[in-house]
């Protein structure tokens, strides 16, 4: 659901997935929305009143997370088929799979410069991947529990993990060390989000609490009570002046921070300066080197917003249901019959991340509405037989893509078994040599 608060609260409900939606994310420009679902598909939506969407079918199990790269060129998806897949947004096509996890992958995130991907799995590992050579370049093991969520800090030097063992951990990927270890929750931690400055981290837990950590001082500073059940997700706004949380109580809470206000563009520019290939670590990137286990008595401010928060649920905001339609067929049928503006809109759906400044989301919406006003016979000028043939071809391509994905998975399992056999043979050989 896409919410609008001005001039009055209302929501747009996009219908298309056939099962639970597990993850959503806006593209960097905000002109595209990606969603993952337990129906094994990923959808790309244009967030307007038409609800145009494009469906990706390549995973063989429920998809747990989606994440755009900072430039909007790529999309990473994590699935219970033990794989991470990377997609090219320019052509909307599958690029490659990353297979090394031995259990469900719960989350995968790009680094700010797009050179790395971090992923966490129920195999109790966190892996760092190089997007250039498609190899796993680092591995962090958590022997107590597994990570539910993982993400890079804004300058890409550290990663934070939300653990099922009630812990939050900060790792420095330059020296491969655990920097900070927080035990502030009494339930599994489901999500974390860095403030754009990188100085604060907010956590969401199944104990119903939100916690804000000061990473420079290494301590808990705020405990937030607002949800009446487990909190599943939390995220800061781009500028850090707001954050929002959602939980099992079917509520979405919007919070205002009291941190220093930041200009989002200035923060991004400052962080990008440190992302040169040979640049040494910046002083502000280096957090305290020792873990910070929290003491029994914590100086923290508890905030309970239940008494003074505006509950928009009781005002029954209007909800508009928007049914999606297959963009592939629509693109094929409109690209030859519509005027230049229609061709532009179709082109930008194929390449939404490269939209020029003159084609802002507002302009895109206007062009979309212009298209809807065109005569309906224009849009039906292509024979029905051709449309059916194209749909059949797309179905066959989807089947082929899924078959290749299954073959990749089986090949990976075969390689793992072969590796185990070779290790066993080596052990037997060493044992025979010792006896002789």
């Amino acid at each position: 659901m896409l919410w609008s608060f001005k001039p009055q609260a209302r929501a747009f409900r996009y219908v298309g997935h056939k099962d639970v939606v597990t993850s959503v994310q806006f593209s960097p420009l905000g002109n595209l929305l990606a969603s993952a679902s337990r129906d094994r598909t990923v959808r790309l939506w244009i967030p307007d009143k038409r609800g145009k969407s494009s469906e990706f079918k390549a995973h063989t199990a429920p998809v747990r997370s989606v994440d755009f790269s900072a430039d909007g060129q790529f999309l990473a998806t994590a699935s219970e088929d033990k794989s991470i897949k990377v997609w090219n947004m320019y052509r909307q096509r599958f690029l490659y799979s990353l297979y090394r996890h031995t259990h469900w992958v719960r989350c995968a995130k790009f680094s700010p410069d797009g050179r790395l991907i971090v992923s966490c799995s129920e195999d109790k590992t966190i892996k760092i991947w190089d997007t250039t050579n498609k190899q796993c370049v680092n591995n962090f093991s958590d022997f107590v529990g597994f990570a539910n969520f993982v993400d890079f800090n804004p300058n890409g030097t550290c990663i934070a993990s939300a653990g099922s063992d009630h812990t939050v951990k900060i790792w420095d990927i330059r020296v491969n060390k655990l920097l900070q270890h927080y035990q502030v929750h009494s339930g599994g931690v489901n999500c974390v989000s860095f403030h754009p400055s990188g100085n604060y981290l907010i956590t969401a837990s199944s104990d119903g609490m939100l916690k804000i950590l000061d990473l420079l001082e290494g301590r808990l500073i705020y405990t937030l009570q607002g949800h009446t059940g487990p909190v599943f997700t939390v995220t800061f706004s781009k500028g850090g002046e707001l954050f929002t949380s959602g939980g099992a109580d079917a509520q979405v809470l919007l919070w205002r921070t009291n941190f220093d206000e930041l200009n989002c563009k200035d923060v991004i520019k400052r962080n990008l300066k440190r992302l040169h290939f040979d640049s040494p670590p910046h002083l502000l990137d280096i957090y305290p080197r020792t873990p910070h286990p929290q003491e029994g008595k914590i100086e923290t401010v508890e905030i309970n917003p239940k008494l003074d928060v505006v509950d928009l649920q009781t005002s029954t905001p209007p909800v508009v249901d928007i049914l999606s339609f297959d963009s592939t067929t629509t693109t094929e049928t409109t690209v030859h019959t519509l005027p230049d503006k229609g061709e532009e809109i179709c082109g930008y759906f194929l390449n939404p991340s490269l939209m020029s400044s003159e084609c802002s989301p507002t302009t895109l919406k206007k062009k979309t509405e212009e298209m809807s006003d065109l005569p309906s016979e224009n849009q039906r000028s292509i024979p029905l037989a051709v449309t059916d043939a194209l749909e059949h071809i797309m179905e066959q391509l989807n089947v082929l893509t899924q078959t290749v994905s299954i073959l990749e998975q089986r090949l990976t399992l075969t390689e793992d078994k072969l590796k185990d056999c070779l290790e066993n043979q080596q052990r037997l050989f060493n044992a025979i040599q010792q006896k002789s």
Side-chain angles (χ1 to χ4, degrees):
M1 297 181 72
L2 188 62
W3 292 85
S4 173
F5 298 106
K6 296 178 181 179
Q8 60 180 7
R10 61 174 179 165
F12 298 95
R13 178 161 41 207
Y14 292 89
V15 182
H17 283 297
K18 299 177 178 63
D19 206 332
V20 174
V21 178
T22 55
S23 175
V24 291
Q25 191 189 40
F26 273 104
S27 63
L29 289 178
N31 61 318
L32 197 63
L33 187 66
S35 61
S37 171
R38 296 195 66 84
D39 64 9
R40 306 182 182 184
T41 68
V42 174
R43 280 182 178 263
L44 294 179
W45 308 79
I46 293 182
D48 60 14
K49 293 182 180 179
R50 298 187 68 200
K52 186 176 181 181
S53 72
S54 178
E55 188 179 63
F56 294 167
K57 296 178 181 177
H59 285 288
T60 57
V63 189
R64 297 299 293 262
S65 83
V66 288
D67 186 58
F68 282 99
S69 59
D71 58 6
Q73 298 276 2
F74 303 99
L75 182 75
T77 60
S79 170
E80 292 180 9
D81 63 9
K82 308 176 188 176
S83 75
I84 300 113
K85 293 187 184 293
V86 178
W87 308 78
N88 186 326
M89 292 291 95
Y90 183 82
R91 297 292 182 189
Q92 287 199 12
R93 65 184 182 88
F94 167 72
L95 286 180
Y96 57 87
S97 294
L98 301 173
Y99 281 111
R100 281 290 293 276
H101 284 294
T102 58
H103 211 301
W104 294 351
V105 185
R106 300 186 71 93
C107 180
K109 295 282 185 178
F110 279 103
S111 62
D113 61 358
R115 291 184 297 165
L116 300 173
I117 292 176
V118 63
S119 63
C120 61
S121 166
E122 292 192 15
D123 62 9
K124 300 184 179 181
T125 65
I126 296 171
K127 297 185 185 296
I128 309 287
W129 309 82
D130 188 327
T131 58
T132 304
N133 58 24
K134 288 84 174 172
Q135 296 294 320
C136 178
V137 294
N138 213 336
N139 188 77
F140 299 100
S141 296
D142 193 336
F143 299 101
V144 179
F146 57 84
N148 288 312
F149 188 91
V150 68
D151 200 5
F152 284 93
N153 68 338
N155 52 46
T157 57
C158 300
I159 57 172
S161 66
S164 63
D165 57 355
H166 311 177
T167 65
V168 176
K169 296 181 179 179
I170 312 290
W171 310 79
D172 190 326
I173 63 174
R174 299 163 298 181
V175 293
N176 298 333
K177 285 186 179 179
L178 175 65
L179 294 184
Q180 297 180 350
H181 181 195
Y182 296 92
Q183 294 179 315
V184 293
H185 284 289
S186 58
V189 186
N190 299 315
C191 188
V192 297
S193 179
F194 280 98
H195 189 263
S197 67
N199 297 336
Y200 306 99
L201 184 75
I202 188 166
T203 64
S205 169
S206 293
D207 62 9
M209 302 287 186
L210 297 166
K211 307 270 186 178
I212 298 181
L213 309 171
D214 186 326
L215 300 181
L216 292 180
E217 295 186 10
R219 68 185 183 92
L220 172 68
I221 55 174
Y222 290 109
T223 296
L224 308 173
Q225 300 180 46
H227 291 280
T228 57
V231 189
F232 293 137
T233 184
V234 65
T235 184
F236 275 106
S237 61
K238 282 188 176 182
E241 70 280 1
L242 301 169
F243 62 91
T244 185
S245 59
D249 55 2
Q251 288 192 109
V252 176
L253 299 182
L254 188 65
W255 308 73
R256 188 179 301 280
T257 65
N258 62 348
F259 303 141
D260 297 334
E261 291 188 7
L262 297 168
N263 187 324
C264 179
K265 292 181 180 178
D266 291 342
V267 172
I268 294 173
K269 190 183 296 183
R270 185 186 69 189
N271 289 332
L272 287 176
K273 286 180 181 177
R274 306 179 199 166
L275 297 178
H276 188 271
F277 284 92
D278 301 319
S279 60
H282 191 279
L283 182 62
L284 293 177
D285 298 340
I286 302 174
Y287 295 119
R289 293 294 178 190
T290 55
H292 292 268
Q294 302 301 316
E295 303 295 334
K297 295 181 179 179
I298 305 168
E299 292 183 4
T300 176
V301 179
E302 262 190 53
I303 297 176
N304 187 342
K306 291 180 182 177
L307 299 178
D308 56 357
V309 73
V310 179
D311 186 2
L312 294 177
Q313 190 174 8
T314 57
S315 61
T316 59
V319 177
V320 181
D321 277 330
I322 300 175
L323 298 176
S324 68
F325 55 90
D326 187 1
S327 67
T328 307
T329 307
T330 307
T331 304
E332 294 291 340
T333 55
T334 57
V335 87
H336 300 295
T337 59
L338 295 178
D340 293 340
K341 290 185 178 180
E343 293 182 0
E344 279 186 45
I345 190 79
C346 293
Y348 283 127
F349 188 72
L350 286 175
N351 184 11
S353 59
L354 299 180
M355 184 182 293
S356 61
S357 57
E358 62 186 12
C359 266
S360 62
T362 309
T363 314
L364 183 65
K365 186 175 180 181
K366 288 179 180 176
K367 290 180 179 178
T368 308
E369 290 175 353
E370 287 173 9
M371 284 173 57
S372 63
D373 293 334
L374 291 172
S376 58
E377 57 268 16
N378 255 2
Q379 298 179 2
R380 296 176 184 172
S381 58
I382 289 184
L384 185 61
V386 176
T387 306
D388 291 341
L390 289 172
E391 289 180 355
H392 180 71
I393 290 171
M394 289 304 300
E395 288 176 3
Q396 295 300 315
L397 286 174
N398 287 333
V399 172
L400 286 173
T401 307
Q402 292 186 27
T403 304
V404 170
S405 176
I406 293 171
L407 289 174
E408 281 183 348
Q409 189 176 5
R410 289 182 177 177
L411 180 61
T412 305
L413 292 173
T414 305
E415 289 175 348
D416 291 342
K417 288 182 179 180
L418 182 59
K419 183 180 176 182
D420 292 340
C421 290
L422 290 174
E423 288 177 353
N424 290 333
Q425 285 185 353
Q426 186 64 37
R427 291 192 194 118
L428 288 172
F429 181 73
N430 292 338
I432 292 171
Q433 276 192 331
Q434 288 176 1
K435 287 181 180 180
S436 61

